Every structure is written in structure tokens, then in C-alpha cells.
Amino acid sequence: MELAYFLIETVVKVVAVFAVLMLVVAYLTLAERKILGRIQVRYGPNRVGPFGLFQPIADGIKAFFKEDLVPARADKTLFVIAPMISITAAISLFAVIPFGEQIELFGRRISLTIASLDIGLLYVFAVASLGEYGIVLGGWSGYNKYGLMGALRAAAQMISYEVALALSVMGVLMIAGTLNLVEIVRQQAGWHWNILYQPFAFIFYLVCALAEINRTPFDMPEAEAELACGFNIEYSSMKFALFFMAEYAHLVAVCAIATTLFLGGWDGPFNLPPALSWIWFVAKTGILVYFFIWERGTFPRLRYDQIMRFGWKFLLPLTLANIVGTGLYMVLRGM
Amino acid sequence: MAMPLLRGIGLLFTTVFALLKGLRLTLAMFFSRPITIQYPERKREVSPRWRGVHYFERNERGDTRCVACGLCVAICPSQCIRLVAVELDNGERYPEIYEINSVRCIYCGMCAEACPVNAIKLGRNYEFVDYRRENLVLDKERLLANRPEGV
């Protein structure tokens, strides 16, 4: 009986998170276009519905009815699988993210996390690197030189920055002493947010995250100017839309993880009832998402060699120094 | 040892400062009003000397003022005006056919400047599109109809 309740609870949580996430991703595309528009002193989409609010629906319908092309010389299996890998990896990240405090419902204690894994952070990094396969295979299987170039760059860039990304959160791990994301949030309760103890790690994390989700100024794999869309060049219709959704889902996931690790998760300036504690989480994630859109409207794309040099010769040593510094601090404080 | 390190730290600070400066500019732009003119609803004021679609001025009889002298045909650099002149019973010259191919026209306004009786003029209308090229040829009737009110 307990198992049945557990299954029902998990299915309901998965469906709820998936539905909300898809809605957020759909409207994030609109939000990004609107914010970029305002940054460029124009309105952005405002024709479909009031304030352009039906634009994501129109885009979806359009993508759905487009012709689904598969290049004649493409590796058809991988070509079809690649976008699925991308979106699966991006969405799976939300399985371990704690959205809020435990709530009481029907006499059961329900935590607002789909799965409170003890290896939560490890899971995040494992699944996030799985997403790279989608991009690399997608670029390679289309039998297109630009796609191949994009895939190559994606592979090199994401693997390089994954090292620095993992190292940047190592300081948080050392302080927390656990990989469980729910535990990490609990330890930050009451203004003990990790950003106060690890401010540099937070900045490193944001920079590496940008490279990890292929956003400007690190959008090498799909550099429009020289690669004509890069890895997704041969994709059309819903397969392209899947890549697009994966990109935005990944963006939200990266911000949610930053909120969990550095900004105290659902902990807020004043305490909300447990059933509403997710509001703080959503607000902090939203601010980070806004920052990622804002910086996209500000910074131009770096050159490929500059990206690699920055990753290996600047970020990597600094994140290592951050770990050493954290270690020294902990030894001296006798923690 | 110390100098390169100091220089590196200095460079780091100037770089971060430059990045923040960029972010501040885009944030200021984000909160400023968009300069877009929402076109079909709001239209841009054109200059008084705007050279748009042509029209004919009328004479006291309500017909075109054109006396079919052919100066506009002669001066038109893109040779888009077709004129067939006839002589009326009262001895006046009259344009039997007067057509401006507005697809060829470059809207230079030379015809209006050349016209000795100020018959052909360029209006201020710029919304002039059609699905068929034939419909963009302005004949006498359309040129007369194009005359704006109250000019």
C-alpha cells in the first residue's frame, strides 16, 4: 500500500513539474524575445494576442506543421534520436531539484522534490553531460560540414567547461559535506546562503553555466555568423523545436541549480508557509534567468580560441584556487 | 614576480568593470521607451517635400490640366511615361493616353519640375502596392483620382 501511495505521489509530481516546465519554457522564448527587444529599444513580438502572449502557441503550431526533413545522407537513427537525448537530459535535471519545503497533504508528508537523491549533485552533472550527446550527435548525423563543425566545437567547449563547472561547485560541497540537494538547501536556511561564503564560486558557476548551455558569449556550437546555426542546421519542424525547448529547459535547470546551491533554494527573506515556499525558489530562479537574457543582449560572441584559453588558463586555475582557499579556511576554522 | 601579478589583477579589474559598464547600458536601454512606430496603426509624418505617388491637377473644366506638351516624357530619366497627344476641336492639345509606369518610376520628381502648367505633381502617399504589375500603371483616371483632398 505504501508503495502504491509513493507511486501515485511521484507520478503526480512528475506530471506537475513537467507541465509547469513546458509552460515556462514556452513563455521563456517569448520573454527572451521581449526582453531582448526592450534592450534594443523596440517592443519585441506584440501582434499575436494581447502583448504577444499567444506567440509561443503560434510558434508551436507553426513548428508542428512544418515539413520534417531528414537529409538523404544522414544517419537516420541518430538524427532522430539526437533531439530526444537533448530534451530528455534537460528535463531529467529537474528530478532532483528541491522546489520547496515539505508539505502535509492527505495526512502524508510530501517533499516538493521528485527524488531526494543522496547523490543529487552527481546526478545533475551526469545528466547534464548526457545532454552533450544530443548536440554532438545532432551535428554529426546530419551530414553537413557546418553541423559537424558545430558538433566539434560543442564537444570541445562543453567538456572543457564541465571541468571548471564541477570544480566551481566543489567549494559548496566542501562546506555542505553532502551531495543531497535538499540537505544543501536545509543547511543554508536563515541567511546562511552559500553565495555569502562562496561569492567567487557563484560567479565561476554562472560563467561556466553559460558555456555549458551554449549561450552567448559562448554560443560557439551554433554561431550564426560563421556556422549558419551549427549543430542544428539540418533540423526542421518539431525536431528543431525539441532542440530549442531543450536549450531553454537547460537554461532554467542551470538557474534552478544555482538557486539551490548558492542562493538558499526556497529560503527567503521572511518565512512563507511551507506550501508557498516554492515562491522564493521561483523568484530567485527568475532573477537568474533574467540575468542570462540580459547578458545575452549585452555581450558579443567570443572567438573559439579565446573561449578555450579562458576556460583552461583562467577559469580552471581560479576554481582550483577557490577550492584550495575554501580548504584552508575550513582547516583554520577547525570545521 | 610581483609586477606581472599586479598587472594581471589590474587587467582583471578593468575587464570586469568594462563588462559591468556594458550591462549597465543595456539595463538602461531595457527601461527606456521603445522608439518603434507601430506602423499600420500609427504612421510616420512625411516631409512636406515628400515625393510619393503622382497625381494630376484639374483645370476649371474639372479635367486634367495637362496640355500634352511632352516635356515630362522627354525629361523622365527612367522613360516610364507614355503619352499620346491629340488636338481637340477648340485647338487645344490634350493627352489621349497618359500613363506612368510606377514600377519603373524612380520618384525623382523631374516630371513635376518640367511641367509648364503644373499638371503632374507628386503626392505624399507611399502606401502603393498590388499583387499584379499591371495594376501599378497609373492612367489618366487614376492620376486624377489620386489628387489629395484640400490641396
Side-chain angles (χ1 to χ4, degrees), chain A residues 304-319:
Chain A
Y304 181 64
D305 61 313
Q306 291 170 333
I307 287 179
M308 296 313 266
R309 195 178 62 200
F310 181 70
W312 286 108
K313 295 173 107 175
F314 187 80
L315 271 182
L316 189 68
L318 280 184
T319 47

Side-chain angles (χ1 to χ4, degrees), chain A residues 219-240:
Chain A
D219 58 342
M220 266 293 115
E222 47 177 305
E224 294 95 342
E226 64 247 45
L227 289 186
C229 278
F231 70 93
N232 59 27
I233 187 166
E234 291 290 359
Y235 282 93
S236 57
S237 182
M238 270 323 270
K239 292 208 203 74
F240 176 78

Side-chain angles (χ1 to χ4, degrees), chain A residues 115-130:
Chain A
S116 170
L117 287 182
D118 283 336
I119 52 159
L121 201 53
L122 207 58
Y123 170 89
V124 164
F125 283 116
V127 172
S129 36
L130 207 62

Side-chain angles (χ1 to χ4, degrees), chain B residues 129-145:
Chain B
V129 286
D130 206 285
Y131 287 103
R132 300 194 64 79
R133 231 179 286 184
E134 301 89 86
N135 296 344
L136 290 171
V137 175
L138 296 163
D139 58 13
K140 214 162 48 182
E141 282 69 39
R142 290 184 70 186
L143 283 168
L144 281 169

